[in-house]
Amino acid sequence: MKLQKNIILYMVMAVLSISFAMAQNQQIQGKVLDESNKPVSGVTILNASNNRALTATKDNGEFTVTVPANTTLIFRGIGFTERRIKINVNQTSLTVRLSATDNQVEEVVVRGYVARSKEKTTGSSYSLGEKDIKDNPAINIESLMQGKVPGLNIQVNTGAPGFRGSTQIRGLSTLSTQGTGNESILMPTSPLYVIDGVPMDADRASEFGLQQQGPGISPLSLIPPEDVESIEILKDAQATSLYGSRGAYGVIIINTKRGNSEVPRINYTHSSFMRSIPKLRETLGGNMERNLKLLQIYTNARTQGELDKIMQTPSLADSLNSYFNNSTNWQGLFYQNTFNQNHNFSMDGGNQQLSYKANLNFYDETGVIKNTGFTRYSSNLRMDYRPSRRFEFVGQVFAQLGKMNKGDGTGILQTGVASGGQSSTLLPPPGFFTASSDYVAAIRTRNDNKTKLIKPFIEAGVEIIDNLRFRTTLSYELSSGTEEKFSPAASSGQFSEVYAFNNRYSQFYSRNNLNYSKTLKEDHDLFFSIFNEIIHVTNQNSVITQRRTPNDQFEGPLGYDGYFSSGGGILSFKNEKALSFAFAGNYSYKSRYVLDLTYRLDGSSLNGFENLYTKNPSIGLKWNIHREDWIKGLPWINTAALRGTWGVNVMPTATLDRIYGKYNIYGNYNQQTGIGIDSYLIPNPDLKPTTSMQYNLGFDLIILNNKIDIIYDTYYKRTENLYQESYLNNTTGFSTLSSNEGGLVNYGHEVSLRLRPLKGDKFFWMLSVNGAYNRDVLLQLPSIFNGQLIRWDGSAAKQHILNRVGTHAFSNYVLVNRGVYATDADVPVDPRTGLRYRTPDGTFFQAGDPIWVDQNGDYILDDRDYTRSGSAQPNFIGGIQNEMSYKGISLTIAASYTAGRTIFNNALAERMRLLANPYGLQSVVPLDDLDMWRQDGDIAKYPNAYDFSRAGNINPLRNDQTLWEENGSYLKINQVSLAYNFDREFLKRYRLQRFRVYATMDNVYTFSKYSGPNPEGVTSLGRDLSNGYPVPRGYALGLNLSF
Amino acid sequence: MKLSNSIRLMSVLLGSCSLFAACKETFELPADRDFISENITYENKVIQPIIGRDNIHTGLLLDNSTLPLKFEIINPRYGDGTPYTDVFQKAPTYEWIAEYDGKEKSLAEIEAKRHLVEKPYFEVDDYGRFIMYGSSTNETVAPRPADTVVKTQDVRFFDLKVSNSGGFQIIKDLQLIPWRQRDYSPDYDMNPYTGGVAPDPRNPKDPSKREYLKPSWFSNIIGVNSNTNLKNDDKQTDLVVFIRRFEGGNGKSLRFRFLNPDSTSINPAKFNETKWDLLVHGFNKQMTSEYVQYDVAYPIPLTSIRTDYNSGSNARVVFKYSRTGMGGTLTYGEMGLDFRIFKPGDWEIVFMFRRESPKFEDE
């Protein structure tokens, strides 16, 4: 719509400028530039006296107007702040600098695939532009958005190249978890990404949790950030309801750049960057390790046998043996500093009739863990053709290839590296005669992962009659992910093995859209849109593993030995067909009062029979106060608006086996193979879809000549019919019922404040601060649980999770630690039995042991002493951005913060537990910096880690205690960039349009009280994985070149 | 005019802010309360303590209810509905205030680690444990009927109210059926229903015969006449034990005696390999030719913590002697008893050789 208007506008302006040229008065030649001295085309120049458009700037930013002296000209360009300049007598030239509008209100936004003026939309959304994500080479655009959008919680919790962190809009939306122990995470509920008008499921690669299968390359990692023009984050249900069930977790709209230069333009962006090893664990090397282990045994042994065991432990006793006489830095063998590069080349050109652009990107990053890395080849070609104002046609092709090397790990988890790095320093380094299997596995495993994606997209639009436009869109995405992995014999029990994974994903997408817009009697604006969507998604993952293959030289093709092979099969498959119909209506009176109504019907083959179509209604109201006449008396108010919305997003929770049940082969009946129903899950065709209802209230305020920009939102989101398995009485023959009885509430406040105190031609300063408070409350659980569900963690970590109605949806359920017993006399004695507090096996607690609260008062520490403690979901998130420029120099600082959450420092627990077995072949770490109990009377925080003899009975460093719960708040300086823009006149000599150099530091510093390495590097349930992939620091040097 | 416009704008903004704030009140969110399970109960709802001993009945099945909980015994009544109060009478009972470790050097030192408090004979503590205190006696708390038939009107019923901030649950119809007082253990020489002498298990109908306590083990004790090993089995019972009160002590004494078949005393010194100082945690040892006696703190053992004097929850005494056996080798004879005594008083433990005396002389 907007473009159409522009065309008409240009025509009118062209005619007008000719007619004004007749009235010869004073000719002025000039140029319009932006803050970075780039010419701005298409800026409308109006005569302020009659508000008539005179002309518009050309592509090189130049313009010519002829006006009488003392005329005031208005320069108005989309995305720029309006400027008024008075023409002096005899003035013939003029250079105008426009500053970009950063305010969120005056923009054009996309709603339900149609561009609308933001002033007339009622929903809550936030926009980011190209400049918000520049100057930092990154694989994934999400990490660049961190801290920049109020209410968008992005945690970059893995440094593994090509993998995503976690992304949530407005708190929790699920009660489901994946994985166990350290590796348990929330079921990812990423927002729906709409890339150039086509929805994309960003969680696609994460269906297997942290134990990633296959290449695991997120489709988001295939989009180069340099190609992104704008990002819009839709938060409330009014904004997302037109996207239906897939938009229930919020919507993020990403538009790539389009051609908009009459003269063909070539842009080249390059950066060379270094990723540095994060701080590794301090380790005692060589003889210090041996001495510490011996001293530990001498001072803590309780039996003669424990002392005698030294003699049977050659690494301790035989210090002259050259095999045990080393000081190997194992961690150093696995980590490296890496030098990487990123090239982005784009070409664009065209005019209103035909424009084109091509973007080519090459990104290569080697991981800080050896033998890992990510390479991206991406191309995005687009052509827009508008032969007349009635007809338009768009063709676009994405072709992307991501290559990933995961080494021996699963990408996010690098278990082999973690255990290999803990090897005793006494052992010899890998050499010609010896090889540690962990080392060989990590370094020599050959791993070839590829994700190939091709996505053609065509769109055609026609204006059937005036104001009625029909548009049809078709896209077909085909992606294939393969992993081939060859593990050499030395890495796994002297037999090589191969593993192959194959994923095939396709998405057919079609949309037909009919829009009608009309202005009645000048004051009444009407807009209607109806569209339908057809989506067909197929997905299949299959895998094959063969163990004990012939040798390291022969990698295939291989035969099959049924005995040794662990075979393979289809891990998961999906075949979803979805059909949707949507209606959107918008009415506004004098742009003052806006009413939005939308309704969407979503049908999916994944819904239960009884609920085939889900209904997503929404309503929104907005009052643009600044349009009122009475506000004109307050010139310091630029924009003031109040918004209120209500909407519902309904999302299917059913899967084929939840509706139909699962059938399996169960033995023979009368010599016939019998097929019976799996009695684990009873089929439930009545399974209801999850309903997410949201109220949003907000106001927008821009005051003092756009110097201060405030956006405030508050919301109440009630998610009901959440999926939660419930138990059945065993007399039913089935054990589990798919139930919909989960309910969850999120409520919170979001504020964004943007200050532009200095906006001169030379000096510019902008400071934005945003913050969001979110609180989640569990509303209900299936009635059988009676208000409380404990998710027992079956792994060794035993960090259980508690869901209790009325509290945080996810709380930890662990032992409460109150310090360390300073002396034996501090251990409580049961007044009845006279016995000291003890473990179930009868080991009495003593000085140096942790004080665990005996909740049930039986003076025995066991599972009944667990209690509810902290929650890993943050209450506060936000960020700060500071941008300053003086002439060509600019400085950008971006920071993000997360506060009000509890995380488990499992890494420290594991580090201290290394001392539990001094006879073993693990490294030891210095504990001098820890507040640990060492002798009688010490008031300490950490229990005695050296007491190895009783460690098996007491387990003082167990994970399931509040000792490891720490405040997970942090403030992270995400990025510091310094850029210099060369002077245009200087560049002209070299026929360059633009030349900019920059230096950036990424992941600069994290301020936190957390005692572990990185409070952000934890899972979405707040577990600090010691076998995770650390987030490295980056240093980049880069340049932008246009000619 | 300008001012009023500002006021108008402010009122719009303030009004909307208060509207936002008001919305929070209407959320109607469930309160953050403790969880109390409907399924809270006990593994065993019939409590059968033995009167005169400290009995702790555990087995509360919390079903993960949030702790701490408050427990209250309500509606105590016999099976026929008549209320009872006898078990709630208070009496002094010992409570530990420091850990007894078996290394105390005097009775006073032991007594300093515990003190007497007034407690009802039967109560539920703050953690849901039912405790019948050792201060109870057959006289203060009526035991189950001696005729072995427990009729409903003999059973003390009660309900337990369990509460926390999440509400309360009532565990109904818990039963208290105490056993008759038995002051020592092992106690199989006593009829648990009547408190009388237990009949001989081989001839239960013969009132002239009775069951005897036997030592926990004995070995290599040779009869002076038969020159064969003494033994207790189905055919013969050579060595029996009596745990009984005696007259004339100081109220806190424990005496060991050894009797020949003719009830004459064996000099305890003949058990020459016995570690008399580590026999019991007693003081003021008096060794005569008839007995050996200590001043002790009751009950014995004081706790089940591992000391030199016990084995698990029982006190352990071992009497040992050596003699030159056949072929000139030194052989050891040994007998031992694991026992408990619950009530304070003057107690003696008597080992009686029923058929023939042991041979202490060398071959």
Side-chain angles (χ1 to χ4, degrees):
Chain A
M1 281 316 291
K2 194 77 188 170
L3 289 170
Q4 235 60 45
K5 281 183 185 161
N6 283 350
I7 295 169
I8 301 166
L9 204 64
Y10 288 134
M11 287 174 164
V12 172
M13 285 185 307
V15 173
L16 282 177
S17 59
I18 293 164
S19 61
F20 271 89
M22 301 293 178
Q24 275 279 351
N25 280 325
Q26 185 173 339
Q27 195 186 42
I28 292 161
Q29 289 197 317
K31 195 160 195 184
V32 178
L33 303 172
D34 67 5
E35 289 157 41
S36 54
N37 287 331
K38 254 170 83 177
V40 186
S41 65
V43 174
T44 315
I45 300 161
L46 300 100
N47 186 337
S49 60
N50 54 10
N51 223 11
R52 273 186 158 158
L54 302 174
T55 182
T57 57
K58 297 178 196 159
D59 285 309
N60 55 5
E62 288 168 3
F63 66 92
T64 311
V65 287
T66 311
V67 287
N70 294 326
T71 305
T72 302
L73 295 179
I74 302 175
F75 293 82
R76 195 179 278 166
I78 295 172
F80 293 94
T81 313
E82 189 176 289
R83 254 192 104 176
R84 288 164 177 257
I85 289 171
K86 197 173 169 186
I87 304 296
N88 301 322
V89 183
N90 294 330
Q91 185 175 359
T92 54
S93 67
L94 177 67
T95 302
V96 180
R97 253 191 203 88
L98 293 184
S99 52
T101 49
D102 297 312
N103 67 53
Q104 296 273 331
V105 180
E106 286 180 14
E107 290 165 28
V108 172
V109 295
V110 175
R111 284 292 178 286
Y113 308 107
V114 179
R116 309 291 322 280
S117 149
K118 186 155 184 181
E119 191 181 24
K120 290 187 188 167
T121 57
T122 58
S124 168
S125 74
Y126 200 89
S127 305
L128 293 177
E130 177 190 353
K131 63 179 173 40
D132 290 312
I133 54 168
K134 66 177 187 228
D135 290 351
N136 196 357
I139 296 171
N140 192 321
I141 194 164
E142 277 182 319
S143 63
L144 300 179
M145 282 153 55
Q146 188 182 27
K148 290 174 182 158
V149 183
L152 176 66
N153 178 9
I154 292 173
Q155 300 290 329
V156 184
N157 48 23
T158 176
F163 286 90
R164 293 173 64 213
S166 72
T167 307
Q168 283 177 357
I169 292 180
R170 292 190 166 173
L172 271 178
S173 330
T174 182
L175 289 179
S176 304
T177 58
Q178 289 178 329
T180 57
N182 259 349
E183 292 161 21
S184 58
I185 56 167
L186 285 173
M187 186 72 80
T189 51
S190 293
L192 173 73
Y193 282 82
V194 179
I195 315 286
D196 282 340
V198 179
M200 182 196 82
D201 175 13
D203 290 332
R204 191 192 296 167
S206 56
E207 60 185 303
F208 302 107
L210 294 186
Q211 288 291 355
Q212 197 84 48
Q213 306 272 339
I217 300 171
S218 162
L220 269 183
S221 300
L222 296 174
I223 300 167
E226 289 85 0
D227 195 24
V228 172
E229 182 161 78
S230 69
I231 304 169
E232 198 191 358
I233 296 91
L234 309 185
K235 296 189 289 195
D236 72 350
Q238 203 288 321
T240 59
S241 63
L242 268 184
Y243 296 90
S245 55
R246 299 169 150 224
Y249 306 136
V251 177
I252 294 181
I253 297 169
I254 295 177
N255 286 320
T256 59
K257 289 181 180 161
R258 305 198 174 158
N260 62 351
S261 170
E262 197 131 304
V263 184
R265 193 167 56 177
I266 291 168
N267 295 302
Y268 171 67
T269 304
H270 164 79
S271 50
S272 293
F273 54 102
M274 186 185 119
R275 296 271 191 246
S276 66
I277 304 174
K279 190 171 173 243
L280 299 176
R281 188 180 14 236
E282 273 181 54
T283 304
L284 291 178
N287 208 29
M288 280 165 81
E289 175 185 329
R290 182 181 290 113
N291 287 345
L292 182 91
K293 283 179 170 175
L294 286 172
L295 187 68
Q296 185 190 352
I297 296 168
Y298 295 151
T299 50
N300 290 283
R302 276 163 199 278
T303 63
Q304 185 61 39
E306 283 168 350
L307 288 173
D308 293 347
K309 202 172 166 189
I310 296 173
M311 291 302 133
Q312 294 143 27
T313 311
S315 63
L316 297 180
D318 194 2
S319 67
L320 299 179
N321 182 340
S322 62
Y323 190 81
F324 295 116
N325 192 4
N326 301 284
S327 181
T328 307
N329 178 5
W330 284 97
Q331 292 180 97
L333 293 171
F334 294 102
Y335 290 90
Q336 60 187 356
N337 287 325
T338 68
F339 296 92
N340 314 287
Q341 50 187 328
N342 177 29
H343 300 271
N344 195 77
F345 176 85
S346 75
M347 190 170 78
D348 70 324
N351 52 23
Q352 289 301 327
Q353 274 80 45
L354 178 71
S355 66
Y356 57 90
K357 90 106 198 250
N359 190 83
L360 299 171
N361 178 272
F362 169 72
Y363 182 101
D364 186 40
E365 179 176 338
T366 310
V368 291
I369 292 181
K370 284 182 187 170
N371 203 19
T372 65
F374 178 77
T375 309
R376 170 176 66 216
Y377 303 87
S378 153
S379 73
N380 178 5
L381 312 173
R382 182 178 170 110
M383 189 265 298
D384 290 66
Y385 179 52
R386 289 184 201 84
S388 74
R389 55 179 278 268
R390 288 199 176 272
F391 184 74
E392 64 181 313
F393 180 82
V394 180
Q396 186 172 17
V397 180
F398 287 99
Q400 291 153 337
L401 167 66
K403 282 180 75 170
M404 165 132 36
N405 194 353
K406 301 191 291 188
D408 180 46
T410 58
I412 292 175
L413 297 182
Q414 289 289 343
T415 310
V417 169
S419 63
Q422 284 174 3
S423 298
S424 169
T425 60
L426 299 170
L427 293 170
F432 188 75
F433 295 108
T434 60
S436 129
S437 67
D438 281 331
Y439 178 78
V440 172
I443 303 298
R444 300 240 310 268
T445 292
R446 213 108 43 75
N447 191 249
D448 186 14
N449 291 297
K450 282 193 200 88
T451 292
K452 288 168 248 171
L453 184 149
I454 187 153
K455 183 165 77 172
F457 168 87
I458 52 171
E459 184 174 75
V462 62
E463 190 164 13
I464 303 164
I465 52 168
D466 278 354
N467 300 322
L468 182 67
R469 256 192 117 67
F470 174 75
R471 188 178 282 153
T472 181
T473 303
L474 194 73
S475 142
Y476 185 75
E477 176 184 338
L478 186 68
S479 94
S480 133
T482 56
E483 171 174 0
E484 281 163 21
K485 184 163 141 186
F486 181 82
S487 307
S491 73
S492 52
Q494 300 309 319
F495 281 99
S496 52
E497 61 182 68
V498 294
Y499 167 90
F501 174 93
N502 188 34
N503 162 264
R504 192 156 281 261
Y505 176 93
S506 75
Q507 174 179 288
F508 170 84
Y509 177 80
S510 162
R511 183 176 68 233
N512 297 298
N513 193 341
L514 206 56
N515 294 336
Y516 181 76
S517 63
K518 181 85 179 163
T519 303
L520 298 170
K521 292 178 189 169
E522 299 208 340
D523 289 337
H524 305 272
D525 289 321
L526 280 172
F527 172 82
F528 296 105
S529 165
I530 55 168
F531 65 88
N532 79 335
E533 269 185 312
I534 300 163
I535 302 177
H536 182 195
V537 176
T538 65
N539 187 22
Q540 180 167 310
N541 295 311
S542 51
V543 69
I544 185 163
T545 308
Q546 295 199 9
R547 302 229 159 90
R548 301 200 163 203
T549 56
N551 56 43
D552 282 1
Q553 275 65 46
F554 181 60
E555 296 182 15
L558 294 159
Y560 185 92
D561 179 323
Y563 184 78
F564 288 121
S565 173
S566 39
I570 291 173
L571 293 176
S572 68
F573 67 94
K574 184 176 181 180
N575 187 351
E576 181 193 4
K577 294 186 172 110
L579 175 65
S580 317
F581 301 95
F583 161 83
N586 178 286
Y587 165 78
S588 65
Y589 173 70
K590 281 188 171 174
S591 298
R592 268 180 215 163
Y593 311 110
V594 187
L595 169 69
D596 252 335
L597 291 169
T598 69
Y599 191 78
R600 177 171 165 134
L601 273 176
D602 261 336
S604 167
S605 58
L606 293 187
N607 289 2
F609 299 122
E610 308 303 320
N611 299 289
L612 212 49
Y613 278 89
T614 64
K615 299 160 191 76
N616 306 271
S618 86
I619 183 166
L621 291 166
K622 188 174 188 184
W623 178 22
N624 286 316
I625 307 171
H626 60 276
R627 294 277 180 188
E628 295 284 355
D629 290 332
W630 54 267
I631 212 93
K632 297 259 158 70
L634 300 171
W636 52 275
I637 292 188
N638 304 90
T639 303
L642 274 180
R643 295 176 271 112
T645 66
W646 170 87
V648 173
N649 279 93
V650 185
M651 187 178 26
T653 49
T655 58
L656 290 178
D657 52 340
R658 288 176 191 168
I659 307 171
Y660 297 97
K662 212 191 277 182
Y663 291 81
N664 226 326
I665 297 165
Y666 289 103
N668 285 343
Y669 181 75
N670 284 348
Q671 285 83 50
Q672 297 274 318
T673 304
I675 295 176
I677 190 160
D678 189 323
S679 61
Y680 174 71
L681 193 70
I682 194 166
N684 185 359
D686 289 319
L687 200 60
K688 284 186 216 145
T690 298
T691 310
S692 171
M693 184 271 291
Q694 192 175 175
Y695 290 102
N696 189 86
L697 287 169
F699 65 78
D700 308 318
L701 197 63
I702 302 174
I703 53 174
L704 300 175
N705 193 20
N706 294 333
K707 281 205 169 100
I708 300 178
D709 179 345
I710 301 167
I711 303 174
Y712 168 80
D713 276 291
T714 183
Y715 58 91
Y716 172 76
K717 186 166 85 172
R718 193 181 177 100
T719 312
E720 283 173 321
N721 300 335
L722 275 170
Y723 183 78
Q724 173 59 51
E725 282 184 359
S726 151
Y727 306 114
L728 284 173
N729 192 318
N730 58 8
T731 53
T732 57
F734 290 88
S735 58
T736 316
L737 170 71
S738 300
S739 147
N740 270 122
E741 292 177 87
L744 188 66
V745 159
N746 284 275
Y747 61 88
H749 308 271
E750 292 163 359
V751 183
S752 151
L753 174 70
R754 194 168 276 201
L755 302 173
R756 274 177 295 262
L758 294 169
K759 283 207 296 184
D761 282 345
K762 281 183 182 165
F763 200 87
F764 174 80
W765 181 30
M766 186 189 83
L767 177 70
S768 356
V769 181
N770 75 71
Y773 167 79
N774 182 77
R775 175 75 218 252
D776 59 85
V777 177
L778 187 63
L779 205 58
Q780 65 170 60
L781 283 170
S783 54
I784 192 161
F785 297 121
N786 195 18
Q788 174 173 287
L789 167 63
I790 297 168
R791 295 166 195 272
W792 298 104
D793 176 6
S795 77
K798 296 211 299 193
Q799 285 170 339
H800 315 297
I801 293 167
L802 176 76
N803 304 131
R804 186 188 295 158
V805 169
T807 66
H808 273 299
F810 288 90
S811 302
N812 297 322
Y813 194 59
V814 291
L815 300 173
V816 176
N817 180 298
R818 291 263 165 81
V820 179
Y821 292 115
T823 60
D824 288 351
D826 292 341
V827 184
V829 175
D830 187 346
R832 297 280 80 75
T833 60
L835 298 180
R836 251 191 290 168
Y837 189 22
R838 60 202 181 276
T839 64
D841 71 1
T843 311
F844 294 107
F845 288 107
Q846 65 175 45
D849 288 336
I851 303 172
W852 285 315
V853 175
D854 181 24
Q855 298 285 350
N856 71 343
D858 60 358
Y859 292 85
I860 295 171
L861 179 93
D862 57 17
D863 287 359
R864 286 172 290 189
D865 296 314
Y866 287 117
T867 195
R868 175 167 74 101
S869 62
S871 167
Q873 303 310 311
N875 287 126
F876 295 95
I877 52 161
I880 303 162
Q881 289 88 45
N882 183 60
E883 218 179 306
M884 279 174 183
S885 65
Y886 177 72
K887 288 187 173 167
I889 305 173
S890 65
L891 173 71
T892 311
I893 301 171
S896 58
Y897 64 86
T898 294
R901 65 164 179 176
T902 306
I903 57 179
F904 272 117
N905 192 349
N906 286 351
L908 178 63
E910 192 165 304
R911 183 181 134 194
M912 291 182 76
R913 277 203 301 266
L914 285 176
L915 291 165
N917 179 13
Y919 308 99
L921 284 173
Q922 304 115 15
S923 59
V924 294
V925 291
L927 299 178
D928 306 335
D929 55 327
L930 291 175
D931 179 17
M932 193 177 85
W933 187 93
R934 288 179 170 83
Q935 61 194 38
D936 248 16
D938 280 2
I939 308 292
K941 181 174 181 199
Y942 295 103
N944 184 6
Y946 293 115
D947 188 3
F948 69 94
S949 173
R950 290 162 69 251
N953 303 98
I954 300 284
N955 204 357
L957 300 162
R958 58 197 289 170
N959 282 11
D960 51 339
Q961 56 173 322
T962 56
L963 178 62
W964 312 118
E965 272 192 347
E966 293 188 33
N967 185 347
S969 305
Y970 66 88
L971 170 69
K972 177 171 88 162
I973 310 290
N974 290 42
Q975 180 186 350
V976 175
S977 290
L978 194 65
Y980 182 70
N981 228 332
F982 283 88
D983 186 55
R984 289 181 62 77
E985 299 302 318
F986 167 76
L987 291 177
K988 262 187 186 164
R989 280 187 253 163
Y990 305 97
R991 300 197 170 193
L992 289 173
Q993 267 213 316
R994 190 161 97 109
F995 184 51
R996 193 166 166 279
V997 291
Y998 62 85
T1000 293
M1001 203 164 150
D1002 176 46
N1003 188 19
V1004 183
Y1005 189 76
T1006 303
F1007 298 92
S1008 173
K1009 285 187 182 156
Y1010 181 59
S1011 64
N1014 178 7
E1016 191 182 10
V1018 299
T1019 67
S1020 49
L1021 284 170
R1023 275 89 166 125
D1024 188 341
L1025 292 166
S1026 58
N1027 56 350
Y1029 200 115
V1031 183
R1033 181 175 293 168
Y1035 305 88
L1037 286 174
L1039 58 91
N1040 305 115
L1041 201 61
S1042 298
F1043 49 87
Chain B
M1 188 60 204
K2 194 175 174 181
L3 187 69
S4 72
N5 280 337
S6 300
I7 292 168
R8 207 186 304 186
L9 184 73
M10 289 309 290
S11 59
V12 165
L13 291 179
L14 286 176
S16 56
C17 285
S18 55
L19 184 71
F20 299 161
C23 284
K24 201 189 161 202
E25 304 305 312
T26 61
F27 287 172
E28 288 178 12
L29 295 175
D32 179 353
R33 293 191 309 176
D34 290 348
F35 171 72
I36 185 157
S37 172
E38 290 172 0
N39 301 326
I40 194 164
T41 186
Y42 282 83
E43 272 170 39
N44 181 359
K45 286 168 78 176
V46 183
I47 304 159
Q48 305 190 55
I50 300 169
I51 293 170
R53 302 182 183 183
D54 273 348
N55 296 270
I56 302 177
H57 183 88
T58 57
L60 173 65
L61 299 175
L62 286 167
D63 193 26
N64 305 308
S65 300
T66 309
L67 296 161
L69 290 162
K70 203 169 147 244
F71 299 89
E72 191 187 346
I73 291 174
I74 55 170
N75 194 14
R77 78 276 177 194
Y78 285 102
D80 58 3
T82 50
Y84 61 86
T85 55
D86 55 347
V87 297
F88 304 121
Q89 301 171 72
K90 289 192 172 177
T93 182
Y94 278 113
E95 196 168 72
W96 289 102
I97 47 179
E99 191 194 24
Y100 163 79
D101 58 8
K103 298 189 177 101
E104 290 78 3
K105 296 280 182 294
S106 68
L107 278 181
E109 205 176 313
I110 293 175
E111 295 302 336
K113 289 189 169 181
R114 58 179 185 173
H115 63 161
L116 281 169
V117 290
E118 289 280 319
K119 287 276 184 187
Y121 294 127
F122 178 73
E123 69 165 3
V124 59
D125 73 358
D126 292 344
Y127 308 109
R129 301 189 293 181
F130 292 111
I131 300 167
M132 181 87 158
Y133 288 99
S135 53
S136 54
T137 60
N138 285 340
E139 290 68 44
T140 52
V141 176
R144 64 177 67 201
D147 59 6
T148 77
V149 181
V150 180
K151 298 175 284 297
T152 183
Q153 59 264 37
D154 301 324
V155 176
R156 293 175 176 87
F157 285 92
F158 63 93
D159 303 334
L160 188 72
K161 184 177 172 186
V162 186
S163 55
N164 61 16
S165 74
F168 68 90
Q169 292 288 331
I170 291 179
I171 305 173
K172 292 220 162 173
D173 297 338
L174 288 143
Q175 301 177 34
L176 176 63
I177 315 173
W179 286 100
R180 178 170 288 275
Q181 187 174 345
R182 278 171 273 162
D183 289 341
Y184 56 85
S185 165
D187 53 14
Y188 51 85
D189 64 338
M190 187 191 282
N191 183 325
Y193 291 95
T194 62
V197 173
D200 184 349
R202 276 168 291 191
N203 299 292
K205 299 280 160 73
D206 184 350
S208 66
K209 292 187 171 175
R210 60 163 291 182
E211 171 69 310
Y212 294 97
L213 292 182
K214 286 145 202 147
S216 301
W217 76 93
F218 66 99
S219 63
N220 209 20
I221 297 177
I222 289 168
V224 69
N225 300 327
S226 61
N227 237 355
T228 55
N229 272 327
L230 301 184
K231 58 185 175 182
N232 285 346
D233 59 18
D234 287 351
K235 297 192 181 71
Q236 63 192 66
T237 306
D238 287 347
L239 179 54
V240 300
V241 176
F242 300 96
I243 303 176
R244 61 192 183 201
R245 292 177 190 267
F246 71 91
E247 298 294 323
N250 56 9
K252 51 184 178 183
S253 44
L254 178 65
R255 180 182 284 182
F256 295 95
R257 291 177 66 195
F258 308 93
L259 299 180
N260 289 314
D262 59 359
S263 293
T264 56
S265 293
I266 303 172
N267 188 347
K270 288 195 171 177
F271 292 91
N272 56 356
E273 298 279 352
T274 304
K275 297 172 182 167
W276 295 108
D277 292 328
L278 294 176
L279 196 64
V280 291
H281 194 193
F283 309 95
N284 196 13
K285 182 181 73 170
Q286 298 165 37
M287 206 154 173
T288 68
S289 62
E290 299 215 329
Y291 58 82
V292 56
Q293 182 178 324
Y294 302 83
D295 288 352
V296 294
Y298 284 99
I300 296 176
L302 284 158
T303 73
S304 58
I305 191 169
R306 186 169 170 190
T307 61
D308 292 337
Y309 318 104
N310 73 342
S311 159
S313 55
N314 285 304
R316 169 168 286 182
V317 285
V318 182
F319 301 97
K320 217 168 170 183
Y321 65 94
S322 59
R323 54 185 275 275
T324 306
M326 287 291 189
T329 57
L330 193 66
T331 65
Y332 293 92
E334 182 180 308
M335 60 188 185
L337 177 69
D338 291 345
F339 71 99
R340 286 190 283 170
I341 297 174
F342 301 98
K343 286 275 186 191
D346 298 315
W347 288 89
E348 66 174 358
I349 295 176
V350 181
F351 291 82
M352 183 175 185
F353 295 89
R354 276 181 80 218
R355 279 195 328 122
E356 54 182 324
S357 301
K359 186 173 183 180
F360 293 104
E361 294 75 28
D362 298 340
E363 294 294 338

